[in-house]
Amino acid sequence: MAGHGLVSAYAALRYDTSVQLKDGRGAGRHVLWPAGWKVCAQDPAAGTDLRGRRVTLTVVKRTESCR
């Protein structure tokens, strides 16, 4: 999901997947408009069975670069 928009990332996940968002800038910002954000990293890694697991997506605003 890294490099994709947050809306696309949500669409790729199962409806029952627990998702936690983490501000990639470390500023503790909250995502109010998912279309304005993109995914820089994910945990667990792509391809991991997500049943019963929480997914953490590290995100930044679309105009920012991933570090």
Side-chain angles (χ1 to χ4, degrees):
M1 286 183 246
H4 291 94
L6 184 53
V7 173
S8 296
Y10 276 132
L13 294 169
R14 292 173 41 107
Y15 71 93
D16 59 349
T17 302
S18 175
V19 179
Q20 177 179 5
L21 300 176
K22 179 180 172 185
D23 181 1
R25 294 285 183 220
R29 299 175 294 181
H30 297 281
V31 175
L32 300 176
W33 184 252
W37 294 75
K38 64 182 176 184
V39 178
C40 290
Q42 68 184 61
D43 182 47
T48 303
D49 183 10
L50 300 178
R51 284 178 286 198
R53 297 188 70 180
R54 174 182 284 181
V55 175
T56 300
L57 300 176
T58 302
V59 297
V60 295
K61 291 187 178 184
R62 283 195 172 271
T63 58
E64 298 172 344
S65 63
C66 295
R67 295 181 189 196

